[in-house]
Amino acid sequence: MIGAPVPEIADMVVGHASAVTRAVAPWATGAQMPNFAPSYDPARPARVYHEDTLHRLAALADRYDPARVLATGQVIRAT
């Protein structure tokens, strides 16, 4: 969001930014970028992806990398 908090509209900018933040909250990842920040933290995928997406990504990894060659970054696998 971009808004110039100049005196004439400062309250409106803050109010609109809050409204946008609330509207997109269901898709928030806690300020983590799932595709651009590799991690070896096994709990991280559940924080940035919905359960359905995790299952889909694990199925794709199993289908296209059955030998588990891809081992860097955030490769989602079924447990």
Side-chain angles (χ1 to χ4, degrees):
M1 294 170 278
I2 299 174
V6 294
E8 298 82 17
I9 62 169
D11 291 337
M12 187 171 36
V13 169
V14 171
H16 283 281
S18 295
V20 170
T21 301
R22 284 190 306 276
V24 300
W27 301 281
T29 63
Q32 298 185 29
M33 299 179 73
N35 293 332
F36 300 108
S39 170
Y40 295 100
D41 175 4
R44 186 172 183 277
R47 290 193 305 267
V48 297
Y49 293 113
H50 292 287
E51 189 173 344
D52 290 343
T53 303
L54 288 170
H55 290 296
R56 185 168 43 98
L57 291 170
L60 288 169
D62 289 343
R63 179 176 180 181
Y64 292 105
D65 185 27
R68 296 179 175 243
V69 174
L70 299 175
T72 61
Q74 192 70 54
V75 179
I76 308 297
R77 300 287 182 180
T79 54

